[in-house]
Amino acid sequence: MAGHVISGPCAITEMDSTTVIQPGFRAEIDAIGNILIWEEAAAHEEDRTSHPTAGCDAITTDIFENALRNARNEMDTLLTTATMSTAIREQQDEFNVIAEPSGKMIVGQFGSFIGQSLSVWKGTIEPDDIFITNDPYSVAGAVSHLNDWLVMMPVFVRDKLIAWTANFGHMTDSGGSIPGSLPTAAQSIFEGGVVLPTKNRMIELHKRFGDKLYFEAIQELLERNRRTMLSLFESAIPESPVSFEDWMDDDGKGVGPWKIVCTISKRASRIKFDFTGTDPQSSSSINFFLSHNMFKMFVGIYLIAVYDPSSVVNDGFHDLVDVIIPKGTILNPVRPAALSCRTHLLGRLMDVWSGLLGQKAPEFMIAAGFSDSPHFMYRPNGDWFQLYQIGFGGIPARPFGDGMDGHCLWPAMKSVPNEFLELYYPLRIEQYNTVTDSGGPGIFRGGNAQRIFYRFLEKGEISLHGDRWLSKPWGVLGGEPGARSSKILVHYAEDPVNPRREILSSKQDRIHVSVGDVLEWITWGGGGYGDPLKREADLVALEVRRGLVSMEGAKRYGVILTREVDVDIGETDKLRSRLREARKKDSMEIFNRGGTWEELKAKALEETGLPPPRDVWTVPLRGPMTGLPHIKAWMVHHGQAV
């Protein structure tokens, strides 16, 4: 009835709709039946927020936690629908955070970057402030290259700071020296582009729960996460130290491989990750300024995903983890080292993490395959938009199943639809599928690589960022490595009948393309898990019928098929018996890398069409890091002048 007023929380149900009135608001029916929603007076809010509570029980904490999840989902939706960046809109290359006043993340994905940012901010923090930056060095690695723009907003209620909301996402271009602003050959961060020096949902939650219960719920979420992680550390992390090392193939300048070393140890329920032994920073742009908080979040997400996937990861456990990354290395470079291509090392850290934990805990043993984040950029001539696209690859095999084929290498990211690419860019996608036999064989198969053939309908420039062109994603516990990546430009514009095929390096800028040329883009396959001779023969036959494995590739599993693609049981038994007998001479390796680095380099030109990279120590180190004692020791060890 007209004139009726009702205060929230409540729901008004009509024949054709239901209207929810949130706490702190009232509904009024006007003369023609409209529902007018008004915010309650400030005095009423004051009464509610100061009302005493009985304490924060488990049910209230769960309700609060789910409200936070919903708020985070709203942040995702708003950003992806409002942005002009293809990477954010189509692939969700954005990460949002809600944090408590000191900057500890209470819901999010990539870890809190707020505390690190506040640690270097010397000014005041006032209501309606908005902090924007993209400078990794000014925020202690909270963002790691100039394309990631970080926006942070403090949330105040009556001049009291109650929370932070923040988001960073990948901008298509930031004014760098090449289109896309990810120059492989950059020697300083300034070549990557412009350097920028350094709410509502949380206010609703504060009103809904009141000041006392709001902060009690936040503290309980942090403490609950800490208790969970403490239990996981006790059960999952071995007592004795474990080390692992992996290498990135090259730096885009023909130098490599670049070594990452990490040792994990545990003492008195605390764990330490020590990257001592990692190679010095590069003169190229492959350096990754690894945020300690981001790495801690990797640890938390990894353990939670295996043992307690229903839990929400936050920053409550960070005091239990110590991270040591020597300054002047490729994971902690000295300003102004270039950072634009840091995703190579970001991906490789995932493989290192798997290799570390799996050695003493089989339930964590995962093959390699996350390895990198392959990028493709295309700047057509004329008035077209610039394309920035993150490629997919073969997910590594796991203790409980196969790796996924041609799948996203990052959680929550999506592929750019081909229809979108062909609608908005002068491109035609001529192939989009997975690569047969590219996944490493095992009792669980590694995921197959992604194949995309781009035909260019307009002249322009392209850039490529990738890796695993020389090294192979290793298999584990008898599993075999996945296949390498490759990029080939077919010059149909020169000769439509017998075009020249140009093998491109994995990290290359300013590649000129003409109308009709085709880029054959192939990523790597995931490594296999376990003995491939133990894989069900009928499953191998099914995958041959589906095009995931070839008839010849089936023999790597010891499986012989008939012309009708059925298992030849007798011949399969014979082949598997011969393979097992031959294997007795050599024990199965924990990690199968497909050869030593010396062997891979010796066959590089023959197998890939590209020359092997020069060793890192053959290039004289120059820059501010050479004055650091441990870098001097590295130089002396490798015969360089100090």
Side-chain angles (χ1 to χ4, degrees):
M1 297 286 292
H4 281 194
V5 178
I6 185 170
S7 295
C10 66
I12 301 174
T13 302
E14 302 175 86
M15 290 182 61
D16 59 350
S17 66
T18 299
T19 304
V20 177
I21 311 302
Q22 297 281 358
F25 293 81
R26 72 177 189 277
E28 177 183 338
I29 312 302
D30 69 9
I32 58 175
N34 293 318
I35 301 174
L36 308 180
I37 301 176
W38 306 93
E39 190 171 4
E40 296 279 25
H44 178 65
E45 295 171 10
E46 184 70 38
D47 291 341
R48 278 173 35 57
T49 57
S50 61
H51 192 274
T53 65
C56 187
D57 55 30
I59 294 176
T60 301
T61 302
D62 286 343
I63 293 172
F64 189 87
E65 183 179 53
N66 283 299
L68 287 173
R69 285 178 171 174
N70 290 335
R72 182 206 160 181
N73 290 338
E74 288 184 14
M75 293 170 70
D76 275 330
T77 301
L78 178 61
L79 190 63
T80 54
T81 54
T83 183
M84 289 292 290
S85 169
T86 304
I88 297 175
R89 182 175 66 249
E90 299 297 331
Q91 301 201 271
Q92 291 194 297
D93 186 2
E94 51 85 23
F95 304 92
N96 58 63
V97 160
I98 298 174
E100 48 82 72
S102 71
K104 292 181 181 177
M105 184 184 81
I106 49 179
V107 67
Q109 181 177 334
F110 240 60
S112 179
F113 19 79
I114 298 168
Q116 293 168 263
S117 304
L118 294 178
S119 68
V120 296
W121 174 251
K122 305 304 180 185
T124 61
I125 300 171
E126 307 290 345
D128 300 323
D129 281 350
I130 298 177
F131 297 82
I132 302 176
T133 186
N134 68 339
D135 181 6
Y137 292 109
S138 72
V139 290
V143 291
S144 50
H145 66 177
L146 298 183
N147 289 71
D148 287 339
W149 286 32
L150 171 62
V151 179
M152 300 179 294
M153 294 179 60
V155 181
F156 285 85
V157 171
R158 292 181 301 280
D159 296 326
K160 179 178 182 179
L161 179 63
I162 66 163
W164 284 86
T165 60
N167 194 297
F168 77 82
H170 187 100
M171 306 299 286
T172 302
D173 196 288
S174 58
S177 59
I178 66 164
S181 301
L182 299 176
T184 298
Q187 294 184 320
S188 79
I189 191 171
F190 303 107
E191 294 175 67
V194 176
V195 181
L196 301 176
T198 246
K199 87 188 195 183
N200 289 339
R201 283 291 177 254
M202 298 309 293
I203 295 175
E204 290 177 8
L205 279 178
H206 187 268
K207 292 178 182 177
R208 177 180 175 184
F209 289 91
D211 186 79
K212 182 175 182 293
L213 194 56
Y214 171 89
F215 285 105
E216 285 182 355
I218 288 176
Q219 189 58 37
E220 174 57 25
L221 286 175
L222 294 169
E223 288 294 332
R224 187 163 70 179
N225 186 260
R226 190 180 189 277
R227 292 192 297 269
T228 299
M229 297 305 298
L230 187 61
S231 175
L232 292 180
F233 291 165
E234 288 292 338
S235 61
I237 305 298
E239 292 290 340
S240 56
V242 177
S243 295
F244 188 74
E245 56 188 33
D246 203 0
W247 294 263
M248 187 171 63
D249 293 354
D250 73 304
D251 62 356
K253 292 183 176 181
V255 178
W258 295 82
K259 183 171 66 174
I260 307 171
V261 179
C262 189
T263 300
I264 181 175
S265 57
K266 182 171 70 174
R267 184 176 181 181
S269 299
R270 296 180 62 85
I271 60 174
K272 179 173 73 174
F273 295 89
D274 188 348
F275 288 88
T276 298
T278 296
D279 276 342
Q281 69 189 59
S282 169
S283 63
S284 182
S285 62
I286 60 167
N287 304 294
F288 176 29
F289 190 6
L290 176 58
S291 158
H292 287 205
N293 280 357
M294 180 185 292
F295 184 75
K296 290 177 182 180
M297 191 52 51
F298 289 164
V299 174
I301 290 174
Y302 197 100
L303 292 173
I304 287 290
V306 173
Y307 282 111
D308 193 5
S310 63
S311 296
V312 174
V313 180
N314 59 43
D315 287 359
F317 72 95
H318 281 198
D319 66 302
L320 301 174
V321 181
D322 296 316
V323 181
I324 298 173
I325 310 175
K327 197 170 184 62
T329 63
I330 52 175
L331 295 178
N332 188 10
V334 177
R335 187 185 183 101
L339 307 172
S340 51
C341 297
R342 95 289 188 236
T343 46
H344 307 305
L345 286 170
L346 176 58
R348 193 63 105 252
L349 277 174
M350 301 296 187
D351 285 349
V352 170
W353 176 237
S354 300
L356 268 176
L357 281 189
Q359 294 181 55
K360 297 287 181 72
E363 65 270 29
F364 286 106
M365 180 60 82
I366 298 176
F370 291 106
S371 300
D372 195 358
S373 180
H375 292 7
F376 167 62
M377 284 152 284
Y378 173 39
R379 180 66 177 94
N381 292 350
D383 297 328
W384 297 91
F385 286 112
Q386 176 178 293
L387 172 62
Y388 164 87
Q389 183 178 7
I390 302 171
F392 290 4
I395 298 297
R398 302 156 288 172
F400 49 85
D402 297 345
M404 290 171 280
D405 301 303
H407 196 272
C408 176
L409 301 169
W410 297 105
M413 284 193 181
K414 302 176 181 178
S415 63
V416 179
N418 291 339
E419 295 82 0
F420 176 89
L421 292 174
E422 295 183 340
L423 179 63
Y424 285 94
Y425 301 97
L427 286 170
R428 187 165 67 239
I429 307 302
E430 300 200 336
Q431 283 197 45
Y432 190 95
N433 49 27
T434 61
V435 182
T436 302
D437 290 335
S438 57
I443 187 172
F444 296 120
R445 177 177 60 79
N448 279 343
Q450 180 191 55
R451 177 196 285 118
I452 306 178
F453 284 9
Y454 300 90
R455 185 175 290 274
F456 301 104
L457 307 180
E458 184 70 60
K459 288 183 178 181
E461 283 188 358
I462 62 172
S463 292
L464 304 173
H465 291 176
D467 206 58
R468 290 293 190 197
W469 67 272
L470 181 54
S471 65
K472 302 175 182 179
W474 30 266
V476 295
L477 301 177
E480 296 185 19
R484 295 170 167 130
S485 66
S486 67
K487 308 293 184 290
I488 297 175
L489 183 61
V490 186
H491 292 271
Y492 283 102
E494 296 177 2
D495 186 342
V497 179
N498 296 301
R500 175 170 60 93
R501 295 176 62 83
E502 179 185 1
I503 299 174
L504 303 174
S505 63
S506 67
K507 305 169 186 69
Q508 191 170 341
D509 296 323
R510 302 190 187 283
I511 305 167
H512 294 279
V513 296
S514 299
V515 176
D517 288 349
V518 172
L519 173 66
E520 297 181 356
W521 159 287
I522 296 176
T523 58
W524 55 88
Y529 178 98
D531 185 356
L533 301 184
K534 295 181 179 180
R535 188 170 178 83
E536 293 181 19
D538 287 337
L539 179 55
V540 175
L542 175 63
E543 294 193 325
V544 171
R545 291 192 288 270
R546 290 177 171 174
L548 300 172
V549 177
S550 69
M551 294 280 282
E552 188 64 27
K555 296 178 183 178
R556 299 172 70 187
Y557 300 87
V559 175
I560 301 295
L561 302 175
T562 66
R563 290 183 178 180
E564 292 75 25
V565 198
D566 294 319
V567 178
D568 187 323
I569 298 175
E571 292 301 316
T572 293
D573 289 344
K574 291 178 183 178
L575 177 58
R576 286 189 164 182
S577 179
R578 289 197 303 270
L579 292 173
R580 288 192 185 98
E581 188 63 30
R583 183 189 291 163
K584 288 181 181 179
K585 301 174 184 177
D586 302 305
S587 60
M588 286 194 299
E589 302 171 292
I590 297 178
F591 301 101
N592 182 351
R593 300 178 184 269
T596 64
W597 266 105
E598 290 72 20
E599 293 169 339
L600 295 174
K601 283 188 169 186
K603 297 179 180 179
L605 189 60
E606 174 189 349
E607 295 181 351
T608 71
L610 296 171
R614 294 173 291 156
D615 291 321
V616 171
W617 55 85
T618 64
V619 180
L621 280 187
R622 294 185 177 89
M625 73 289 189
T626 56
L628 298 170
H630 55 280
I631 300 297
K632 285 184 177 180
W634 183 93
M635 296 170 69
V636 170
H637 176 75
H638 291 289
Q640 294 197 14
V642 177

